[in-house]
Amino acid sequence: MSAEPTAKKTPLYDVHQDLGANLVDFAGHLMPLRYASETAEHQAVRTGAGLFDLSHMGEIFVSGPGAGAALDFALVGNLASMPVGKARYTMVCGQDGGVLDDVIVYRLADATWMVVANAANTDVVREALTERAAAFEAAVEDRSGAYGLIALQGPRSQEILEGFTDAAVGDLKYYAVLAGRVAGVDALIARTGYTGEDGFELFVDASDAVAVWKALAGVDGVVPAGLAARDSLRLEAGMPLYGNELTAETTPFEAGLGRIVKLDKAGDFVGKTALAAQAQTPPGRRLVGLVARGRRAPRKGYQVVTSGGTPCGIVTSGAPSPTLGTPIALAYLDSGVEETDLAVDVRGRQEPVDVVSLPFYKRS
């Protein structure tokens, strides 16, 4: 896969080049796919600590006396009641209930929230928030270019981060955020992640990103990790990827995420009518986990079939699992289909699979 010459460079681009990363165009940014072995990078996160460049993500601030109400109208979650210092996973949906993006919202102050969007959808999210906040006393500002975002993930992440900050990261709960200094620079420290492991995401000024990366990467056992490992880690953790499990044609209920749609919150929100109707009717398909019995991995776009060969679903993500040692996949299965005697059509060959509960992997 070749990188487009117009792709943006993150603040850590030169670092990735120096490390010999395989750089690819991902959502319009030159990003490391892997540095050497994606399996080794994956295992480092599961057993020690991995370091990710997430600077391609979007940071959109919503502030003002009406910011909370604006976000409650714009998103499916309840954001106005969220305490300062907390974070919440939620979604931007269309009027038809389709997912425009899944985001994490951080409340940084009484009248200030930060919405972190997927890189490919930053423009969509900014435009939706701007339009939906127009009737409220709220300002929307895209500050994506001002930040470097570094994720430290793995069971050793707290121990390692404590060596570079006086902030009380040990007291920081999951899906919470605090301001502090890391490696001598100001940072927003969030205890979130996309790997199924404990970990932190560090929002720093773009000009400070290299210094923070090099400080953390200098710790013995910290392994730089690329997009390939990030994808296999999130797949094992059963976490959806926009463009795969989530799309504008998919609703939160189909994706098994109806719990994040707060139909009982005060006031209206975009998509409420459609989502309220779907909450009363079983969706036509459901997201499931598949484990292959053989060695051939189901891949995105492959059909799920019954024992008689009838198509009954579609794989949205699939890969060999380094942790489990067997191929796994996420797939949408048609409602009413029995979850036994299923297979995936892998290039004309039916490979038997078992339907399992998600996530595939959960840390102890």
Side-chain angles (χ1 to χ4, degrees):
M1 181 176 179
S2 61
E4 293 293 333
T6 56
K8 299 176 183 177
K9 297 177 181 179
T10 76
L12 294 165
Y13 172 79
D14 290 339
V15 171
H16 302 320
Q17 277 205 316
D18 291 343
L19 290 170
N22 177 11
L23 293 166
V24 298
D25 182 350
F26 181 78
H29 294 73
L30 286 169
M31 298 294 295
L33 180 64
R34 66 180 66 82
Y35 297 88
S37 163
E38 60 197 65
T39 300
E41 294 166 21
H42 178 112
Q43 297 290 20
V45 176
R46 288 280 179 255
T47 61
L51 201 59
F52 297 87
D53 178 11
L54 305 184
S55 303
H56 61 311
M57 302 288 280
E59 290 88 14
I60 302 167
F61 283 69
V62 182
S63 59
L71 286 169
D72 275 355
F73 175 69
L75 308 174
V76 302
N78 197 337
L79 291 312
S81 65
M82 185 169 64
V84 173
K86 296 297 184 181
R88 189 159 292 166
Y89 175 75
T90 185
M91 293 180 182
V92 186
C93 287
Q95 288 287 6
D96 62 354
V99 180
L100 303 182
D101 199 19
D102 59 332
V103 299
I104 297 179
V105 181
Y106 301 86
R107 190 170 188 176
L108 303 180
D110 285 342
T112 304
W113 284 255
M114 178 174 66
V115 180
V116 177
N118 285 299
N121 295 332
T122 298
D123 291 346
V124 170
V125 173
R126 181 188 64 247
E127 291 166 7
L129 291 177
T130 300
E131 178 183 344
R132 298 174 188 187
F136 300 86
E137 288 187 83
V140 177
E141 182 184 4
D142 187 348
R143 302 183 193 171
S144 303
Y147 284 94
L149 177 55
I150 296 169
L152 179 67
Q153 295 280 303
R156 290 189 58 211
S157 58
Q158 178 182 319
E159 163 207 337
I160 291 164
L161 187 57
E162 285 177 333
F164 295 95
T165 183
D166 291 331
V169 293
D171 297 331
L172 194 64
K173 302 297 185 183
Y174 189 50
Y175 266 69
V177 62
L178 58 77
R181 290 180 66 80
V182 175
V185 305
D186 292 334
L188 290 172
I189 305 167
R191 198 164 204 162
T192 49
Y194 193 53
T195 63
E197 297 295 340
D198 187 20
F200 300 86
E201 294 184 333
L202 310 173
F203 299 84
V204 299
D205 188 279
S207 63
D208 293 326
V210 170
V212 173
W213 175 281
K214 288 186 174 180
L216 295 170
V219 176
D220 186 45
V222 174
V223 176
L227 293 171
R230 182 170 164 84
D231 191 51
S232 57
L233 289 158
R234 70 90 194 169
L235 178 57
E236 288 184 348
M239 294 178 172
L241 174 66
Y242 196 88
N244 290 34
E245 290 70 47
L246 301 174
T247 69
E249 290 72 45
T250 306
T251 72
F253 290 98
E254 290 176 312
L257 294 168
R259 65 186 180 277
I260 73 169
V261 180
K262 304 304 180 183
L263 294 169
D264 59 349
K265 65 178 176 178
D268 194 13
F269 65 88
V270 177
K272 182 176 182 178
T273 300
L275 290 169
Q278 190 169 118
Q280 302 302 316
T281 306
R285 58 181 185 161
R286 62 194 185 278
L287 189 66
V288 300
L290 303 177
V291 174
R293 296 180 190 171
R295 307 307 302 173
R296 303 178 81 190
R299 299 290 185 179
K300 179 181 179 180
Y302 289 6
Q303 285 188 331
V304 184
V305 298
T306 66
S307 57
T310 302
C312 62
I314 193 79
V315 174
T316 53
S317 297
S321 165
T323 304
L324 304 180
T326 188
I328 59 175
L330 294 172
Y332 277 107
L333 203 62
D334 296 341
S335 293
V337 173
E338 294 291 332
E339 295 185 353
T340 56
D341 296 324
L342 296 179
V344 172
D345 187 332
V346 180
R347 296 188 294 277
R349 179 175 171 178
Q350 292 189 13
E351 297 288 345
V353 294
D354 294 313
V355 177
V356 300
S357 298
L358 294 172
F360 301 100
Y361 163 85
K362 189 173 184 179
R363 65 187 173 98
S364 57

